[in-house]
Amino acid sequence: ANSIVEKGNLVPWIEYGEELRKLESNGSSSDNGECYGLSDVIQTKSIEDAYFESIQSSGLVSRVDGTATNATTSSTPKISYTAMHGVGYPYAKRSFETFHLPPFLAVPSQQHPDPHFPTVPFPNPEEKGALDEAMAFATNNECDIVLANDPDADRLGVAELVKENRTWTAFTGDQIGTLLGHWLWETVGKHSNRPVAMCASTVSSKMLLAMGQAEGFRFEETLTGFKWIGSRALSLQEEGYHVLLGYEEAIGFSCGGIIPDKDGISAIGIVATMATSIYSRGETLVSHLQHLHDKYGEFVCNNGYYRCNDPAIVKRIIEQMRNGGRYYENVGGYDVESIRDLGIGYDSTTKDKKAMLPSSASSPMITFRFDNGCVAQFRASGTEPKFKYYIEMRGRLGEKKVDVVKRLMKMSGVILEELLHPAENGLILPSNL
């Protein structure tokens, strides 16, 4: 770590921006070599080969290959892929080849890198409208599924055409994480000669926890960000666990222990193979996800944020939630089961009242767990003027999703008002900007 602050490492070794401008002004073409000849082509290829070899030897391909190749042509989903004007296309193509999958159809208008991102409002598959171009292309080419990497291909978005009404369903990060977790457990985890573990950020859905409790694998939550998810996965591996999945709700997935970071390239091959197997059974991703909810329960989320430009207001809201150290036992008529405050390292569920997760006064996060199965978490963004909330309701056994949604939305309105006092604190909803 000390090498980071060494004098020679505090400035770029090569001023790539300046070198690129010189080459472009001289009429050079990137076709003559990788990145105008500024990269080491041989070393890059060796890294790429080692990465795909690690996928091949991970056990994921051999486990799922049989189900993929046994599927009939008529039941195999037709897949469209978008690199979203980023670098993902050649690597996604090779991922499909590594998993022995039929080729996808690439969205031509978004296939190649373009720093101006001309066809998307914002180049993130999560953003509203970002998948419109890919969905339109997929519809015109009779595709069933859209797979989308963000520009640097470390995230993965998934959408599926619902044929009954010809509309597209874009899956959330939690829904993709649930599908992946179950798939990896069924195809790899059940056959593992080591105990299995999975991880997710604390603001992600608790459905994977419920799945682990039912199936017998270990689940751990971490702080937000893959530096925490990846480091915990490595620690679990050292303890002898086979870590099959780490994910965050912001469509980041690390599958099979290939690399301890979010990786949209290995994930895209696994999702496509999973879809092939599911379609071969006459199901869709949407119907299969509902079957998982029928088994493990409905988990419905209401995540969002308020705009807050004054850090002092955020601090005031956090202190109001702490109530002078006498944390609320009831919020708006809803009984509180437990409290965790990572700003001071407090957790009411532990014997010593100390939180198991790392705490930080500069990055506080408070979690309210309610008796009715609702979990509400609050934190300030570390990069934007936003105060974020993550509220999830777990349905009762046999309760329909529509009823869980109604309960969640009613409760969300109450606890957001009671805990945040938006009008009093000058918090602004995105819709009002």
Short mmCIF file of all heavy atoms in Angstrom, two decimals, residues 245-292:
data_model
loop_
_atom_site.label_atom_id
_atom_site.label_comp_id
_atom_site.label_asym_id
_atom_site.label_seq_id
_atom_site.Cartn_x
_atom_site.Cartn_y
_atom_site.Cartn_z
N LEU A 245 -21.25 -17.06 -5.34
CA LEU A 245 -21.83 -15.80 -5.84
C LEU A 245 -21.58 -14.68 -4.85
O LEU A 245 -21.71 -14.84 -3.64
CB LEU A 245 -23.34 -15.95 -6.05
CG LEU A 245 -24.10 -14.69 -6.50
CD1 LEU A 245 -23.67 -14.29 -7.91
CD2 LEU A 245 -25.62 -14.92 -6.46
N GLY A 246 -21.21 -13.54 -5.40
CA GLY A 246 -21.23 -12.29 -4.67
C GLY A 246 -21.94 -11.29 -5.56
O GLY A 246 -21.66 -11.22 -6.76
N TYR A 247 -22.88 -10.53 -5.00
CA TYR A 247 -23.59 -9.59 -5.87
C TYR A 247 -24.05 -8.35 -5.10
O TYR A 247 -24.12 -8.34 -3.87
CB TYR A 247 -24.77 -10.27 -6.56
CG TYR A 247 -26.12 -10.14 -5.88
CD1 TYR A 247 -26.97 -9.07 -6.18
CD2 TYR A 247 -26.56 -11.08 -4.96
CE1 TYR A 247 -28.21 -8.94 -5.56
CE2 TYR A 247 -27.80 -10.97 -4.35
CZ TYR A 247 -28.62 -9.89 -4.65
OH TYR A 247 -29.84 -9.77 -4.05
N GLU A 248 -24.33 -7.31 -5.86
CA GLU A 248 -24.92 -6.09 -5.32
C GLU A 248 -26.12 -5.73 -6.18
O GLU A 248 -26.18 -6.07 -7.36
CB GLU A 248 -23.91 -4.95 -5.30
CG GLU A 248 -23.36 -4.55 -6.65
CD GLU A 248 -22.33 -3.44 -6.59
OE1 GLU A 248 -22.03 -2.99 -5.48
OE2 GLU A 248 -21.83 -3.04 -7.66
N GLU A 249 -27.06 -5.02 -5.59
CA GLU A 249 -28.31 -4.71 -6.29
C GLU A 249 -28.09 -3.83 -7.52
O GLU A 249 -28.94 -3.77 -8.40
CB GLU A 249 -29.32 -4.06 -5.34
CG GLU A 249 -28.78 -2.94 -4.47
CD GLU A 249 -28.72 -1.61 -5.17
OE1 GLU A 249 -29.61 -1.35 -6.00
OE2 GLU A 249 -27.80 -0.83 -4.90
N ALA A 250 -26.94 -3.18 -7.60
CA ALA A 250 -26.62 -2.33 -8.75
C ALA A 250 -26.05 -3.15 -9.90
O ALA A 250 -25.05 -2.79 -10.51
CB ALA A 250 -25.65 -1.23 -8.34
N ILE A 251 -26.67 -4.29 -10.21
CA ILE A 251 -26.38 -5.23 -11.30
C ILE A 251 -24.90 -5.60 -11.42
O ILE A 251 -24.36 -5.73 -12.52
CB ILE A 251 -26.94 -4.77 -12.66
CG1 ILE A 251 -26.37 -3.42 -13.12
CG2 ILE A 251 -28.46 -4.70 -12.63
CD1 ILE A 251 -26.78 -3.06 -14.56
N GLY A 252 -24.25 -5.81 -10.28
CA GLY A 252 -22.88 -6.30 -10.27
C GLY A 252 -22.84 -7.71 -9.73
O GLY A 252 -23.41 -7.99 -8.67
N PHE A 253 -22.15 -8.63 -10.45
CA PHE A 253 -22.17 -10.05 -10.08
C PHE A 253 -20.77 -10.65 -10.23
O PHE A 253 -20.08 -10.40 -11.21
CB PHE A 253 -23.14 -10.83 -10.97
CG PHE A 253 -24.50 -10.18 -11.08
CD1 PHE A 253 -24.81 -9.37 -12.16
CD2 PHE A 253 -25.43 -10.34 -10.07
CE1 PHE A 253 -26.04 -8.74 -12.25
CE2 PHE A 253 -26.66 -9.71 -10.14
CZ PHE A 253 -26.97 -8.90 -11.23
N SER A 254 -20.39 -11.45 -9.24
CA SER A 254 -19.15 -12.21 -9.28
C SER A 254 -19.52 -13.68 -9.09
O SER A 254 -19.98 -14.07 -8.02
CB SER A 254 -18.19 -11.75 -8.17
OG SER A 254 -17.05 -12.58 -8.10
N CYS A 255 -19.33 -14.47 -10.11
CA CYS A 255 -19.83 -15.85 -10.11
C CYS A 255 -18.70 -16.87 -10.04
O CYS A 255 -17.70 -16.75 -10.75
CB CYS A 255 -20.66 -16.11 -11.36
SG CYS A 255 -22.09 -15.05 -11.56
N GLY A 256 -18.89 -17.87 -9.18
CA GLY A 256 -18.02 -19.03 -9.18
C GLY A 256 -16.61 -18.82 -8.70
O GLY A 256 -15.76 -19.69 -8.89
N GLY A 257 -16.32 -17.67 -8.11
CA GLY A 257 -14.98 -17.42 -7.62
C GLY A 257 -13.94 -17.20 -8.70
O GLY A 257 -12.74 -17.32 -8.45
N ILE A 258 -14.40 -16.84 -9.89
CA ILE A 258 -13.46 -16.63 -11.01
C ILE A 258 -12.56 -15.43 -10.72
O ILE A 258 -11.34 -15.51 -10.80
CB ILE A 258 -14.23 -16.44 -12.33
CG1 ILE A 258 -14.99 -17.73 -12.67
CG2 ILE A 258 -13.28 -16.08 -13.47
CD1 ILE A 258 -15.98 -17.58 -13.79
N ILE A 259 -13.16 -14.31 -10.38
CA ILE A 259 -12.42 -13.15 -9.90
C ILE A 259 -13.24 -12.51 -8.78
O ILE A 259 -14.47 -12.51 -8.84
CB ILE A 259 -12.11 -12.12 -11.00
CG1 ILE A 259 -13.40 -11.65 -11.68
CG2 ILE A 259 -11.13 -12.66 -12.01
CD1 ILE A 259 -13.17 -10.50 -12.64
N PRO A 260 -12.60 -11.95 -7.77
CA PRO A 260 -13.34 -11.36 -6.64
C PRO A 260 -13.78 -9.93 -6.91
O PRO A 260 -13.55 -9.02 -6.12
CB PRO A 260 -12.32 -11.44 -5.50
CG PRO A 260 -11.01 -11.25 -6.19
CD PRO A 260 -11.14 -11.95 -7.53
N ASP A 261 -14.42 -9.73 -8.03
CA ASP A 261 -14.92 -8.40 -8.40
C ASP A 261 -16.10 -8.59 -9.33
O ASP A 261 -16.31 -9.68 -9.88
CB ASP A 261 -13.81 -7.60 -9.10
CG ASP A 261 -14.06 -6.10 -9.06
OD1 ASP A 261 -15.16 -5.67 -8.63
OD2 ASP A 261 -13.16 -5.34 -9.47
N LYS A 262 -16.89 -7.55 -9.49
CA LYS A 262 -18.02 -7.66 -10.41
C LYS A 262 -17.49 -7.88 -11.82
O LYS A 262 -16.52 -7.26 -12.24
CB LYS A 262 -18.93 -6.44 -10.32
CG LYS A 262 -18.31 -5.09 -10.58
CD LYS A 262 -19.35 -4.00 -10.40
CE LYS A 262 -18.77 -2.61 -10.60
NZ LYS A 262 -17.87 -2.20 -9.48
N ASP A 263 -18.18 -8.77 -12.53
CA ASP A 263 -17.67 -9.24 -13.82
C ASP A 263 -18.84 -9.57 -14.73
O ASP A 263 -19.47 -10.62 -14.59
CB ASP A 263 -16.77 -10.46 -13.60
CG ASP A 263 -16.30 -11.10 -14.90
OD1 ASP A 263 -16.40 -10.43 -15.95
OD2 ASP A 263 -15.83 -12.24 -14.86
N GLY A 264 -19.12 -8.69 -15.67
CA GLY A 264 -20.25 -8.89 -16.56
C GLY A 264 -20.01 -9.89 -17.67
O GLY A 264 -20.96 -10.30 -18.34
N ILE A 265 -18.76 -10.30 -17.86
CA ILE A 265 -18.44 -11.21 -18.96
C ILE A 265 -18.68 -12.67 -18.58
O ILE A 265 -19.33 -13.42 -19.31
CB ILE A 265 -17.00 -11.00 -19.44
CG1 ILE A 265 -16.84 -9.56 -19.98
CG2 ILE A 265 -16.63 -12.00 -20.51
CD1 ILE A 265 -17.78 -9.20 -21.12
N SER A 266 -18.18 -13.10 -17.44
CA SER A 266 -18.50 -14.46 -17.00
C SER A 266 -19.98 -14.58 -16.67
O SER A 266 -20.62 -15.60 -16.97
CB SER A 266 -17.65 -14.85 -15.79
OG SER A 266 -17.87 -13.97 -14.70
N ALA A 267 -20.55 -13.52 -16.08
CA ALA A 267 -21.97 -13.55 -15.72
C ALA A 267 -22.86 -13.70 -16.95
O ALA A 267 -23.90 -14.37 -16.89
CB ALA A 267 -22.35 -12.29 -14.95
N ILE A 268 -22.46 -13.11 -18.07
CA ILE A 268 -23.31 -13.16 -19.24
C ILE A 268 -23.39 -14.59 -19.79
O ILE A 268 -24.46 -15.04 -20.24
CB ILE A 268 -22.81 -12.18 -20.34
CG1 ILE A 268 -23.95 -11.80 -21.27
CG2 ILE A 268 -21.64 -12.73 -21.12
CD1 ILE A 268 -23.59 -10.67 -22.21
N GLY A 269 -22.29 -15.33 -19.71
CA GLY A 269 -22.31 -16.72 -20.15
C GLY A 269 -23.15 -17.60 -19.23
O GLY A 269 -23.87 -18.48 -19.69
N ILE A 270 -23.07 -17.32 -17.94
CA ILE A 270 -23.84 -18.11 -16.97
C ILE A 270 -25.33 -17.82 -17.11
O ILE A 270 -26.16 -18.74 -17.11
CB ILE A 270 -23.35 -17.82 -15.54
CG1 ILE A 270 -21.90 -18.28 -15.39
CG2 ILE A 270 -24.24 -18.53 -14.52
CD1 ILE A 270 -21.23 -17.80 -14.13
N VAL A 271 -25.70 -16.54 -17.25
CA VAL A 271 -27.12 -16.20 -17.41
C VAL A 271 -27.68 -16.80 -18.69
O VAL A 271 -28.80 -17.34 -18.71
CB VAL A 271 -27.31 -14.67 -17.39
CG1 VAL A 271 -28.72 -14.30 -17.84
CG2 VAL A 271 -27.07 -14.12 -15.98
N ALA A 272 -26.93 -16.74 -19.77
CA ALA A 272 -27.40 -17.29 -21.04
C ALA A 272 -27.58 -18.81 -20.95
O ALA A 272 -28.54 -19.38 -21.47
CB ALA A 272 -26.44 -16.94 -22.16
N THR A 273 -26.65 -19.48 -20.26
CA THR A 273 -26.77 -20.93 -20.09
C THR A 273 -27.96 -21.26 -19.20
O THR A 273 -28.72 -22.21 -19.48
CB THR A 273 -25.48 -21.49 -19.47
OG1 THR A 273 -24.37 -21.11 -20.27
CG2 THR A 273 -25.53 -23.01 -19.38
N MET A 274 -28.13 -20.50 -18.13
CA MET A 274 -29.29 -20.69 -17.26
C MET A 274 -30.58 -20.51 -18.04
O MET A 274 -31.52 -21.32 -17.92
CB MET A 274 -29.23 -19.67 -16.11
CG MET A 274 -30.46 -19.66 -15.21
SD MET A 274 -30.33 -18.38 -13.93
CE MET A 274 -30.45 -16.88 -14.94
N ALA A 275 -30.66 -19.48 -18.86
CA ALA A 275 -31.87 -19.23 -19.66
C ALA A 275 -32.13 -20.38 -20.62
O ALA A 275 -33.28 -20.80 -20.81
CB ALA A 275 -31.73 -17.92 -20.43
N THR A 276 -31.08 -20.91 -21.23
CA THR A 276 -31.23 -22.04 -22.15
C THR A 276 -31.83 -23.25 -21.43
O THR A 276 -32.73 -23.92 -21.95
CB THR A 276 -29.86 -22.40 -22.76
OG1 THR A 276 -29.35 -21.28 -23.48
CG2 THR A 276 -29.99 -23.59 -23.70
N SER A 277 -31.34 -23.52 -20.23
CA SER A 277 -31.86 -24.64 -19.46
C SER A 277 -33.31 -24.40 -19.06
O SER A 277 -34.16 -25.30 -19.17
CB SER A 277 -31.01 -24.85 -18.21
OG SER A 277 -31.54 -25.88 -17.40
N ILE A 278 -33.62 -23.19 -18.61
CA ILE A 278 -34.98 -22.87 -18.18
C ILE A 278 -35.95 -22.96 -19.35
O ILE A 278 -37.05 -23.53 -19.23
CB ILE A 278 -35.01 -21.46 -17.54
CG1 ILE A 278 -34.30 -21.50 -16.19
CG2 ILE A 278 -36.44 -20.95 -17.37
CD1 ILE A 278 -34.07 -20.14 -15.57
N TYR A 279 -35.56 -22.44 -20.51
CA TYR A 279 -36.42 -22.51 -21.70
C TYR A 279 -36.62 -23.94 -22.16
O TYR A 279 -37.69 -24.29 -22.68
CB TYR A 279 -35.82 -21.66 -22.83
CG TYR A 279 -36.26 -20.21 -22.80
CD1 TYR A 279 -35.97 -19.40 -21.72
CD2 TYR A 279 -36.97 -19.65 -23.86
CE1 TYR A 279 -36.35 -18.08 -21.68
CE2 TYR A 279 -37.36 -18.32 -23.85
CZ TYR A 279 -37.05 -17.54 -22.75
OH TYR A 279 -37.46 -16.22 -22.72
N SER A 280 -35.61 -24.79 -21.96
CA SER A 280 -35.75 -26.19 -22.39
C SER A 280 -36.80 -26.93 -21.58
O SER A 280 -37.32 -27.96 -22.01
CB SER A 280 -34.40 -26.91 -22.26
OG SER A 280 -34.08 -27.16 -20.91
N ARG A 281 -37.15 -26.37 -20.41
CA ARG A 281 -38.19 -26.98 -19.58
C ARG A 281 -39.56 -26.35 -19.83
O ARG A 281 -40.52 -26.61 -19.10
CB ARG A 281 -37.83 -26.82 -18.09
CG ARG A 281 -36.50 -27.44 -17.71
CD ARG A 281 -36.37 -27.58 -16.21
NE ARG A 281 -36.44 -26.32 -15.49
CZ ARG A 281 -35.38 -25.61 -15.12
NH1 ARG A 281 -34.16 -26.03 -15.43
NH2 ARG A 281 -35.53 -24.48 -14.46
N GLY A 282 -39.63 -25.49 -20.84
CA GLY A 282 -40.89 -24.84 -21.18
C GLY A 282 -41.22 -23.64 -20.30
O GLY A 282 -42.35 -23.16 -20.29
N GLU A 283 -40.22 -23.15 -19.56
CA GLU A 283 -40.41 -21.98 -18.71
C GLU A 283 -39.74 -20.76 -19.34
O GLU A 283 -39.04 -20.85 -20.35
CB GLU A 283 -39.81 -22.22 -17.32
CG GLU A 283 -40.44 -23.32 -16.51
CD GLU A 283 -39.82 -23.40 -15.13
OE1 GLU A 283 -40.07 -22.48 -14.31
OE2 GLU A 283 -39.06 -24.36 -14.87
N THR A 284 -39.94 -19.62 -18.69
CA THR A 284 -39.23 -18.38 -19.03
C THR A 284 -38.54 -17.90 -17.77
O THR A 284 -38.75 -18.41 -16.67
CB THR A 284 -40.20 -17.31 -19.53
OG1 THR A 284 -41.10 -16.95 -18.45
CG2 THR A 284 -41.01 -17.80 -20.72
N LEU A 285 -37.71 -16.88 -17.91
CA LEU A 285 -37.05 -16.31 -16.73
C LEU A 285 -38.09 -15.73 -15.77
O LEU A 285 -37.98 -15.89 -14.55
CB LEU A 285 -36.06 -15.23 -17.15
CG LEU A 285 -34.85 -15.68 -17.99
CD1 LEU A 285 -33.98 -14.48 -18.32
CD2 LEU A 285 -34.05 -16.76 -17.27
N VAL A 286 -39.10 -15.08 -16.33
CA VAL A 286 -40.15 -14.48 -15.49
C VAL A 286 -40.91 -15.56 -14.73
O VAL A 286 -41.13 -15.44 -13.51
CB VAL A 286 -41.12 -13.65 -16.36
CG1 VAL A 286 -42.37 -13.27 -15.55
CG2 VAL A 286 -40.43 -12.38 -16.86
N SER A 287 -41.31 -16.63 -15.41
CA SER A 287 -42.07 -17.68 -14.74
C SER A 287 -41.22 -18.43 -13.73
O SER A 287 -41.69 -18.80 -12.64
CB SER A 287 -42.67 -18.65 -15.76
OG SER A 287 -41.66 -19.40 -16.42
N HIS A 288 -39.95 -18.63 -14.05
CA HIS A 288 -39.06 -19.33 -13.13
C HIS A 288 -38.83 -18.50 -11.87
O HIS A 288 -38.81 -19.04 -10.75
CB HIS A 288 -37.72 -19.62 -13.81
CG HIS A 288 -36.75 -20.36 -12.95
ND1 HIS A 288 -37.00 -21.62 -12.47
CD2 HIS A 288 -35.53 -20.00 -12.46
CE1 HIS A 288 -35.98 -22.03 -11.73
NE2 HIS A 288 -35.08 -21.05 -11.70
N LEU A 289 -38.67 -17.19 -12.04
CA LEU A 289 -38.50 -16.32 -10.87
C LEU A 289 -39.72 -16.39 -9.96
O LEU A 289 -39.59 -16.42 -8.73
CB LEU A 289 -38.25 -14.88 -11.32
CG LEU A 289 -38.04 -13.85 -10.21
CD1 LEU A 289 -36.80 -14.20 -9.37
CD2 LEU A 289 -37.90 -12.45 -10.79
N GLN A 290 -40.91 -16.44 -10.57
CA GLN A 290 -42.12 -16.55 -9.76
C GLN A 290 -42.16 -17.87 -9.00
O GLN A 290 -42.61 -17.92 -7.85
CB GLN A 290 -43.37 -16.40 -10.63
CG GLN A 290 -44.67 -16.36 -9.83
CD GLN A 290 -44.66 -15.26 -8.78
OE1 GLN A 290 -44.44 -14.09 -9.08
NE2 GLN A 290 -44.90 -15.63 -7.53
N HIS A 291 -41.67 -18.93 -9.62
CA HIS A 291 -41.60 -20.22 -8.93
C HIS A 291 -40.69 -20.12 -7.70
O HIS A 291 -40.97 -20.73 -6.66
CB HIS A 291 -41.09 -21.31 -9.87
CG HIS A 291 -42.06 -21.67 -10.94
ND1 HIS A 291 -41.69 -22.28 -12.12
CD2 HIS A 291 -43.41 -21.51 -11.03
CE1 HIS A 291 -42.75 -22.48 -12.88
NE2 HIS A 291 -43.81 -22.01 -12.24
N LEU A 292 -39.60 -19.37 -7.83
CA LEU A 292 -38.70 -19.19 -6.69
C LEU A 292 -39.38 -18.40 -5.58
O LEU A 292 -39.21 -18.71 -4.39
CB LEU A 292 -37.42 -18.49 -7.14
CG LEU A 292 -36.55 -19.24 -8.16
CD1 LEU A 292 -35.27 -18.46 -8.44
CD2 LEU A 292 -36.23 -20.64 -7.68
#
